[in-house]
Amino acid sequence: ISREDNIEGKSLRERILDLDLIGASILIPTIVCLLLALQWGGTTYPWNNSRIIGLLVGAGVLAVIFAYSQIRLGDRATLPPRILSQRSVTAAVIYSVMFGAGFFVLIFYLPLYFQSVKGSSATKSGIQVLPLFLSTVLSSIASGVLITLVGYYTPFVISGTALFCIGTGLISTYSTHTSFGRWFGYQILTGAGVGVGFQAPMLAVQTVLPLDDVPIGTACVMFFQTLGGALFISIGQTVFQNGLVRGTHKFVPNMDPKLLLNAGATQIRNVLQRVGLTDKLMGAIEAYMVGLVDAYRVTVACTAVAFVAACLFEWKSVKDGEAKRLGNGHKEEDEENKMEDPEKDRQQPLVVAAV
């Protein structure tokens, strides 16, 4: 393959062999087994069902095999151990998993609160969660400017994650009677922490890693952030459904929980009216609230772990990382100039001698 980005002049076969096909073929079924177990466990099948046990065992065995393959492959691995063993990268990976988990579970179940409890439509519930996203955008911009001026990102990450954790804790206190001021203000506080956390892992890996390793470190962070969201959406779904069933037995014991599970958040009132159970509406909403609060508590737990991971980031300045990269760039440029003009260094002493 004769291309500018194929510097080493490798053939197509050699470039394909450089890919970690073994790792990918193990990692994908590992994630699938784990997601299916978390999705089905406690809802479609009980946790002691042979299918769930088999999926969990299979995911565990495949995860061990994947880890072994990554160690053996070294720098050719999908997740190179050399990079993951760096302290800030390890902290960034843990932070990304738990931050992504907490954030995605929150934005998945927060609109359901307005749809089920407040009776909002899907469109209106999207408007009602705008405080969270607007606060996220503004805090992201503000923290980016401050980090650029100060240089150190760690204090902002710690304080931002603390706000995220406190905000989700307050959101978990939502009830059927929560006032406008509270649900609006809690979202503002939560978003203020989210905006800082999104860029923190990227800044960490870009600061502590050499320039050649930055793309790999960035890809690892993005992968684990997405993985955390995918895994904990399934966990949140299971927790929510179990809470809804428990709440149904408590507040409307004569109602089949499947009626609420199959109705959907926006159709609770219509379904109850259609089956002639309008008098059970408040009990059904309280049951839905139990499931939502349980899901929000998953977010609180994830953000608490993310806060611990944030405290593990090294206190390094992004300015130092930028200077290091610029220094490496100048060094490489000087070496290239020497290779292009090897006679220059040999001619210089002759000029001095002549003078």
Side-chain angles (χ1 to χ4, degrees), residues 9 55 133:
L55 287 170
F133 294 107

Side-chain angles (χ1 to χ4, degrees), residues 91-107 132 136 139-140 156-157 160-165 168 190-201 221 224-230 232 298-307 309-310 313:
V93 165
I94 299 173
Y95 184 88
S96 298
V97 171
M98 304 315 297
F99 180 89
F103 178 72
F104 286 114
V105 171
L106 179 64
I107 63 173
L132 173 66
T136 298
S139 66
S140 179
F156 296 97
V157 177
T161 310
L163 287 177
F164 188 17
C165 187
T168 53
T190 304
V194 172
V196 182
F198 260 124
Q199 54 187 333
V221 167
F224 280 105
Q225 191 173 74
T226 306
L227 178 63
F232 278 85
V298 173
T299 299
V300 176
C302 292
T303 54
V305 177
F307 175 77
F313 282 112

Side-chain angles (χ1 to χ4, degrees), residues 192-211:
V194 172
V196 182
F198 260 124
Q199 54 187 333
M202 299 294 184
L203 289 174
V205 298
Q206 291 172 8
T207 301
V208 302
L209 290 178
L211 185 60

Side-chain angles (χ1 to χ4, degrees), residues 62-64 79 98 111 128 172 176 210 255 284:
L62 288 172
V64 172
L79 304 175
M98 304 315 297
Q128 288 170 317
S172 69
T176 55
M255 183 182 294

